[in-house]
Amino acid sequence: MHPAFSVIFLTTLIGAGQGLFLALYTGQVYAVFDVLPVQDPVNFYALGSLIALLLLVAGLISSFLHLGRPERAWRSAARWRTSWLSREVIVLPAFMGTVAAWGLLHYLAWNPLLFSFRGTFGIDLSMVIGAVGTLLAFALYLCTGMIYACIKQLQEWATPLTVLNYTLFGLASGFLLATAFANSRGAGLVDFLGGWAIFATVVAFVTRAASLIRNARLKPKSTLGTAIGVRHSKLEQKSQGFMTGSFNTREFFHGASPRKFLFVKWLFLLLVFPVPLALASAGIAAESTGLLLAAFLTQYVGLLAERWFFFAQANHPQNLYYQTV
Amino acid sequence: MTQLALVIDLNVCVGCQACVTSCKEWNTSGTAGPMADMNPFGKDPTGTFFNRVQTFEVGTYPNTETVHFPKSCLHCEDPPCVPVCPTGASYKREEDGIVLVDNDKCIGCKYCSWACPYGVRELDEHQKIMTKCTLCVDRIYDESLPENERKPACVNACPTNARLFGDVNDPESEVSAAIREQGGYQLMPEWGTKPANHYLPRRKARITIHEDELIRADNPLRKERHLPMPDADDPTLDETTSW
């Protein structure tokens, strides 16, 4: 498939935004149970959710660049019963609204206590809104992943690993950003968030490696024989029916040389996993916001490469019809 | 339930591209507006086509065969492009099974083209919406046309009659009979899309001749050895008698 930068930025930006929100909310939940220190509502929660919201908005703007007719985008919420893309279109704004509401509650310090358990801990409104946001964040990971995983003839994508990878990459980058943010603004959260960021990165390495191994062993179900319905061991295309490009030759081929393809693969394996892990460990030990931010940015650039490779690796069966001019 | 479709006979297609040009001609002047031709006189012209004819070679020289292969939307009975569409612009008509795109609803996200295994949906570079074969829906029901012309433009254009058009769910139809009797098959059955369009395979007329059929036997009884078997070099009945 041809990697579209609009979709690459959309998926990586909203993934990190969701992860950042989940990290902030996890900190809040732990604080309620006195496991972690309570944070400043304006300086930490409100500002943090603003950053998450900015990432989500940037992703949304990027997604519009993918459309041929962006002015009709509102129509895409119509078919949520059958289309994962339509579901994503509904869940993304709902999640953005929830993040905004959660941040605003903290900013305005309007946080009525809803109920408390025998006076030990209380559940306030932002806790409930945050729980809704958590559900929506995971639903959004599911929708984003399923957009790709539900197309069965794109065999490289049609696996639960796709959803798992999207979720784990989003969590890893979001928690890494949260760690850097907590180091500069928060109190006593760096070890907790940094630990989870490292954990998510390591698990993501396992699941992404699993999908790379799976894809390397894939056997295409469609062959030229099934494509044109002629049973012969030697079939060769002589003409594709036109001499210059068409939508078919632009949309479904990545067009990169095998060397570039391999380079991007090793680039993302390097930039998403070992380099940020080293930078994050050093940053947590030295309590350095600069190092932690560098870890996040390195991983983000790596994720752009990962997403490029994810698209480029998928081999669409229609390519069987376009092998020779 | 009616399911209109094409049946394409690869045994007679000569790859003349008449269906390609007549399709473009009809649909570019049709109700859906012109089909884009970007940069038509420049270095890299590109345009939208609903129908293409490709050429494949089967076998190794000298035992080769050239197969011309027309390719357009197959109007699947279970079209994967329809459920993925987020706006409902991509739909399958209940009444005749034609898969269409609603030009006013399509947002040009290209997701349906990813879901189609056959690569028969093209984004129109000018209108920025998805386009595809309509089975000439603006022609086949047009009562101002003579009845024998109420067929898709490609079917009318084919000089060798390689393209048949009709209801594949009606067992009595010409297309159903062709599929049934001449080995009609579907493309990429592995994805469960149940394409309505079928292809008829290359067919060869062969007869099997056994060696004894080539030797003239004057008296079949010789074979049963009821009479002494004459030598093979002995004159035959025709050579010894004349009528």
Side-chain angles (χ1 to χ4, degrees), chain B residues 119-195:
Chain B
V120 291
R121 299 178 145 249
E122 295 189 22
L123 186 84
D124 190 287
E125 289 295 326
H126 180 67
Q127 300 184 74
K128 296 284 178 196
I129 53 168
M130 202 45 77
T131 51
K132 63 179 290 300
C133 161
T134 64
L135 220 53
C136 284
V137 71
D138 52 349
R139 182 182 178 108
I140 55 179
Y141 297 114
D142 186 350
E143 291 184 2
S144 67
L145 291 172
E147 200 170 340
N148 65 343
E149 283 182 30
R150 286 180 217 159
K151 286 185 281 187
C154 56
V155 177
N156 273 330
C158 182
T160 60
N161 222 6
R163 305 176 75 96
L164 310 175
F165 168 69
D167 177 9
V168 288
N169 281 354
D170 171 11
E172 302 303 316
S173 70
E174 181 194 19
V175 283
S176 287
I179 295 167
R180 200 166 53 234
E181 291 160 14
Q182 300 181 65
Y185 62 87
Q186 297 168 319
L187 304 183
M188 291 189 195
E190 58 272 24
W191 302 117
T193 54
K194 293 191 240 156

Side-chain angles (χ1 to χ4, degrees), chain A residues 1-2 7 66-70 72-80 82-86 89 146-148 150-155 157 221-224 226-232 234-242 244-248 250-252 311 316-318 320-323, chain B residues 10 17 20 43-47 52-60 63 67 69 71 80 82-90 102-111 113-123 125-130 185-192 199 201-202:
Chain A
M1 300 292 288
H2 174 74
V7 181
H66 184 70
L67 302 182
R69 292 292 194 106
R72 296 178 181 169
W74 59 274
R75 286 186 178 278
S76 56
R79 289 301 158 109
W80 53 271
T82 59
S83 169
W84 282 104
L85 180 54
S86 188
V89 166
M146 279 308 290
I147 286 175
Y148 306 95
C150 76
I151 304 178
K152 52 186 171 179
Q153 78 268 14
L154 285 165
Q155 290 173 265
W157 295 353
K221 278 190 191 164
S222 287
T223 61
L224 195 51
T226 68
I228 65 169
V230 175
R231 188 177 166 81
H232 199 289
K234 184 150 185 317
L235 295 169
E236 195 187 335
Q237 184 163 34
K238 290 290 173 187
S239 152
Q240 62 182 18
F242 52 93
T244 52
S246 79
F247 178 74
N248 301 82
R250 286 189 295 269
E251 181 70 10
F252 301 96
F311 280 99
H316 200 286
Q318 80 103 34
L320 292 167
Y321 296 107
Y322 299 92
Q323 299 179 70
Chain B
L10 299 183
Q17 314 275 337
V20 178
K43 188 163 156 276
D44 288 310
T46 180
R52 306 271 196 189
V53 178
Q54 307 187 319
T55 304
F56 295 87
E57 191 174 82
V58 180
T60 318
N63 295 318
V67 176
F69 181 81
K71 170 173 171 278
V82 169
V84 300
C85 177
T87 68
S90 189
D102 186 332
N103 284 5
D104 296 326
K105 283 188 185 167
C106 177
I107 57 172
C109 70
K110 300 183 262 189
Y111 194 30
S113 74
W114 296 5
C116 169
Y118 307 101
V120 291
R121 299 178 145 249
E122 295 189 22
L123 186 84
E125 289 295 326
H126 180 67
Q127 300 184 74
K128 296 284 178 196
I129 53 168
M130 202 45 77
Y185 62 87
Q186 297 168 319
L187 304 183
M188 291 189 195
E190 58 272 24
W191 302 117
Y199 286 77
R202 300 297 292 256

Side-chain angles (χ1 to χ4, degrees), chain A residues 179-237:
Chain A
T179 314
F181 179 65
N183 196 59
S184 69
R185 296 274 171 169
L189 271 179
V190 175
D191 288 346
F192 172 76
L193 293 177
W196 279 108
I198 289 172
F199 179 74
T201 306
V202 171
V203 180
F205 176 73
V206 175
T207 57
R208 190 63 175 105
S211 79
L212 284 177
I213 293 166
R214 171 190 179 271
N215 290 353
R217 296 157 60 116
L218 272 183
K219 195 165 171 281
K221 278 190 191 164
S222 287
T223 61
L224 195 51
T226 68
I228 65 169
V230 175
R231 188 177 166 81
H232 199 289
S233 55
K234 184 150 185 317
L235 295 169
E236 195 187 335
Q237 184 163 34

Side-chain angles (χ1 to χ4, degrees), chain A residues 108-123:
Chain A
L108 299 174
W110 186 72
N111 212 353
L113 191 70
L114 296 180
F115 48 90
S116 65
F117 291 96
R118 296 179 187 176
T120 48
F121 59 88
I123 301 295

